[in-house]
């Protein structure tokens, strides 16, 4: 929630949740801290969304799995190509939850559209609302996305596999 990470798209998510404020079936947890937190909290309060969007603050890495495991989905509506990869996507996927993220080239290397999650055109608030509602209403499909996401992480992104890939790259540079 700092200026260096403005591109994470929290403002887009807030706009989407504002369009869903009459639905009381969910809550949004915002994990993290930074110099923009106060302005985001003011926006949420001004829109009357304080019961819906809860700012948790900083969470140590060893506690993150507990947050992922209590979540139905992760939403990362990044606003531009500064979101080159999205480690948070892999963290969520490793916990077996589906993801919704912006359709950016780096993100597409992680999220397989309609297999491990959903991709939305950058800044398309209405489509983001549709996707969130879809996963909330279709828990069986959401669970399938989450299962497939977990399998992808285990297959491609363990430290051992990443270490082998790095070793291969380093050897090819010699």
């Amino acid at each position: 929630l700092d200026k260096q990470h403005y591109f994470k798209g929290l403002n887009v998510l807030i706009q989407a949740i504002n369009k869903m404020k009459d639905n009381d079936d969910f809550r949004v947890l915002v994990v993290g801290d930074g110099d923009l937190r106060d302005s985001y909290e003011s926006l949420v309060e001004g829109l009357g969304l304080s019961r819906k969007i809860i700012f948790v603050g900083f969470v140590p890495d060893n506690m993150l799995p507990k947050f992922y495991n209590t979540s139905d989905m992760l939403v990362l509506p990044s606003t531009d190509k500064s979101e080159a990869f999205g480690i948070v996507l892999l963290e969520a996927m490793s916990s077996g939850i589906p993801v919704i993220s912006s359709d950016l080239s780096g993100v597409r290397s992680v999220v397989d559209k309609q297999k491990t999650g959903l991709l939305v055109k950058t800044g398309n608030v209405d489509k983001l609302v549709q996707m969130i509602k879809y996963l909330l209403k279709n828990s069986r499909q959401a669970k399938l996305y989450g299962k497939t996401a977990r399998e992808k992480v285990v297959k491609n992104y363990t430290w051992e596999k990443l270490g082998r890939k790095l070793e291969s790259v380093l050897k090819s540079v010699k």
Side-chain angles (χ1 to χ4, degrees), residues 90 93-94 112 116 147-165:
L90 286 180
M93 291 166 61
S94 73
D112 298 320
T116 61
K147 181 179 183 288
T148 306
R150 167 90 178 140
E151 290 167 356
K152 179 177 183 173
V153 171
V154 168
K155 181 180 178 187
N156 299 304
Y157 294 102
T158 64
W159 283 114
E160 181 182 335
K161 291 186 183 192
L162 292 174
R164 277 195 228 130
K165 288 179 185 178

Side-chain angles (χ1 to χ4, degrees), residues 53-84:
I53 301 176
I54 298 140
F55 289 83
V56 177
F58 171 79
V59 172
D61 288 343
N62 67 326
M63 294 295 294
L64 286 174
K66 291 180 188 278
F67 282 86
Y68 290 124
N69 288 324
T70 61
S71 300
D72 294 315
M73 70 186 79
L74 176 108
V75 181
L76 182 68
S78 303
T79 57
D80 66 42
K81 63 184 176 184
S82 297
E83 188 67 74

Side-chain angles (χ1 to χ4, degrees), residues 21 24 33 36 61 66 71 88 108 118 120 153:
K21 67 177 157 190
D24 208 35
D33 215 344
L36 295 178
D61 288 343
K66 291 180 188 278
S71 300
V88 68
R108 283 191 302 271
L118 301 170
V120 62
V153 171

Side-chain angles (χ1 to χ4, degrees), residues 16-114:
I17 300 309
N18 190 44
K19 291 185 174 217
M20 301 172 65
K21 67 177 157 190
D22 293 334
N23 180 342
D24 208 35
D25 294 341
F26 70 93
R27 297 291 178 268
V28 175
L29 297 179
V30 178
V31 174
D33 215 344
D35 54 0
L36 295 178
R37 179 177 172 175
D38 289 341
S39 63
Y40 288 129
E41 285 182 317
S42 293
L43 175 60
V44 165
E45 190 174 321
L47 293 170
L49 297 173
S50 296
R51 283 189 50 243
K52 208 126 306 288
I53 301 176
I54 298 140
F55 289 83
V56 177
F58 171 79
V59 172
D61 288 343
N62 67 326
M63 294 295 294
L64 286 174
K66 291 180 188 278
F67 282 86
Y68 290 124
N69 288 324
T70 61
S71 300
D72 294 315
M73 70 186 79
L74 176 108
V75 181
L76 182 68
S78 303
T79 57
D80 66 42
K81 63 184 176 184
S82 297
E83 188 67 74
F85 187 73
I87 294 289
V88 68
L89 296 169
L90 286 180
E91 291 174 347
M93 291 166 61
S94 73
S95 292
I97 63 171
V99 297
I100 299 173
S101 191
S102 296
D103 192 359
L104 297 165
S105 59
V107 171
R108 283 191 302 271
S109 70
V110 177
V111 179
D112 298 320
K113 186 177 183 179
Q114 296 182 329

